[in-house]
Amino acid sequence: MKVAIVHEWLTTYAGSEKVVEQMLEVYPEADVFVMVDFLPEKDRGFLKGRKVRTSFLQNMPFAKKKYRQYLPLMPLAIEQFDLSAYDLILSSSHAVAKGVITGPNQLHISYVHSPIRYAWDMQHQYLKESGLQRGLKGAFAKWMLSRIRMWDYRTANGVDYFIANSEFIASRIWKVYRRESSVIYPPVNVNAFAYREDKEDFYLTASRMVPYKKMDMIAEAFAGMPDKKLVVIGDGPDMEKVKAQAAKSPNIQVLGYQPDAVLIDHMQRAKAFVFAAEEDFGITPVEAQACGTPVIAYGRGGSLETVRGLGVPQPTGVFFEEQTPAQVIAAVSRFENEGGAIQAANCRKNAVRFSPESFRKKLQQHVDNKLHHNTRQAGSVQAVL
């Protein structure tokens, strides 16, 4: 059986690339197709020297830094891959990878991290943050996103089976494509986050400092709790907002970007990890729990599936219902009053559900079942003929 793995682009080694890594563990002979490949040499180990096929976008001007600006050409680029020689196509899709062209005798299973966020329910946020709400550029952006929505909906018909990375994304897939999907949670390298039972008297938040992560809002909340220490790890556009809060509040320590060893050390020692984003899945809350650290999280999106809130057996964290400083303050207060019900060992136990081993086992079982189903279905058709 010939297998192709299709991914949007290889530029960093992050969450979706770790899904591709585990797909290659299951299917080591698979060929990899991406629109552009600018992955640094230090991050290419999981490819094990295999050649990566790229699209014409690889050679476009300024593609290395500006590849996202070629979004209008991406549907065309992904459709140019000739996959006719492959029996099984696995696409890892958060934009256009699911749009590859396949035939009736091929099985296409798409692992969806999310339907194209900036073309569907997050369009208005994307236009606002990009300054594209008005003017000629804004009009072009809206027209272009409308065309991409039509293409995205049409190409869903070329997918035989969908896998969602969470129940939250499964609901998005149904909303956008009206297609059912199975849920297989993405792999989290929980073994890299060693368990530690004894904790110190500080809270931790860590993330890229982009608007939807609400890092400045977390800092503002802790500015209102001067007796509680917050350590902030990360960097990004909102760094100055976070630093402004820290300048007024000596209980907030901003460390900026830190290597993994420093991040893990703080996760192991923190009293709790604070997470305010609405994520499709959210890896960092799982990593914190792998360290035995409870999570105080915004109760929307993937966090509802990765964190067990107070009130259920073996809880691992506390939820807040709105992305406001007042709600974070209330959640921290509840954690300090009722957090004795949260055991470090249960946090670790919950995190292990998302291990790479679990991902590989579930993916292979899912693909084998669909291959068997398709073979049986083809046999039934032949018998009728």
Side-chain angles (χ1 to χ4, degrees), residues 339-350:
I342 301 173
Q343 301 298 314
N346 288 334
C347 292
R348 175 72 185 186
K349 179 181 176 182
N350 186 52

Side-chain angles (χ1 to χ4, degrees), residues 107-378:
L107 180 64
H108 178 192
I109 297 176
S110 186
Y111 187 94
V112 176
H113 307 276
S114 176
I116 310 175
R117 298 178 186 89
Y118 33 85
W120 291 101
D121 55 314
M122 295 183 72
Q123 173 190 278
H124 300 293
Q125 180 180 334
Y126 165 73
L127 292 171
K128 182 179 179 181
E129 292 175 359
S130 303
L132 295 171
Q133 292 173 291
R134 299 180 180 84
L136 191 59
K137 286 185 177 179
F140 174 76
K142 292 170 187 175
W143 174 83
M144 182 265 293
L145 292 173
S146 175
R147 299 291 297 178
I148 285 179
R149 277 194 296 276
M150 289 188 283
W151 176 87
D152 191 39
Y153 179 77
R154 177 184 63 78
T155 57
N157 291 321
V159 177
D160 295 297
Y161 301 101
F162 280 102
I163 300 174
N165 78 347
S166 63
E167 295 289 350
F168 180 61
I169 290 303
S171 68
R172 271 186 172 168
I173 290 171
W174 174 253
K175 181 80 173 181
V176 172
Y177 307 135
R178 281 297 187 262
R179 292 285 301 276
E180 299 283 356
S181 54
S182 302
V183 174
I184 300 178
Y185 293 115
V188 180
N189 187 12
V190 294
N191 291 331
F193 293 79
Y195 173 72
R196 175 171 168 165
E197 194 155 330
D198 58 306
K199 304 298 178 183
E200 298 178 16
D201 192 21
F202 70 92
Y203 293 85
L204 172 70
T205 188
S207 178
R208 289 179 296 118
M209 293 187 189
V210 292
Y212 86 94
K213 296 285 190 178
K214 305 292 182 183
M215 297 286 277
D216 57 324
M217 187 270 291
I218 295 172
E220 184 180 348
F222 275 83
M225 298 182 285
D227 59 325
K228 295 173 178 42
K229 183 179 178 181
L230 174 69
V231 175
V232 183
I233 293 177
D235 201 354
D238 280 358
M239 171 63 95
E240 292 309 313
K241 294 181 181 179
V242 175
K243 282 185 175 179
Q245 290 291 346
K248 300 180 291 185
S249 310
N251 61 312
I252 300 173
Q253 182 183 12
V254 181
L255 300 183
Y257 172 80
Q258 295 294 326
D260 287 348
V262 175
L263 173 62
I264 293 170
D265 174 63
H266 281 80
M267 275 188 172
Q268 290 171 322
R269 294 187 291 114
K271 178 187 291 189
F273 182 80
V274 186
F275 186 75
E278 181 180 338
E279 290 278 19
D280 305 328
F281 174 72
I283 289 177
T284 49
V286 177
E287 292 172 339
Q289 290 173 88
C291 296
T293 301
V295 177
I296 298 172
Y298 177 44
R300 290 282 299 273
S303 295
L304 289 173
E305 300 171 55
T306 60
V307 180
R308 299 175 59 82
L310 288 173
V312 303
Q314 300 181 346
T316 65
V318 176
F319 293 118
F320 53 94
E321 296 182 0
E322 296 176 4
Q323 292 169 308
T324 65
Q327 283 280 303
V328 174
I329 290 170
V332 170
S333 177
R334 188 180 180 202
F335 171 75
E336 298 211 335
N337 291 329
E338 304 176 39
I342 301 173
Q343 301 298 314
N346 288 334
C347 292
R348 175 72 185 186
K349 179 181 176 182
N350 186 52
V352 170
R353 297 190 294 132
F354 307 100
S355 69
E357 294 80 8
S358 176
F359 175 86
R360 292 196 299 268
K361 180 180 178 180
K362 290 176 181 177
L363 177 67
Q364 181 142 35
Q365 286 176 343
H366 183 84
V367 173
D368 288 348
N369 287 340
K370 299 309 181 187
L371 284 168
H372 178 69
H373 173 78
N374 276 27
T375 302
R376 189 174 57 193
Q377 195 172 51

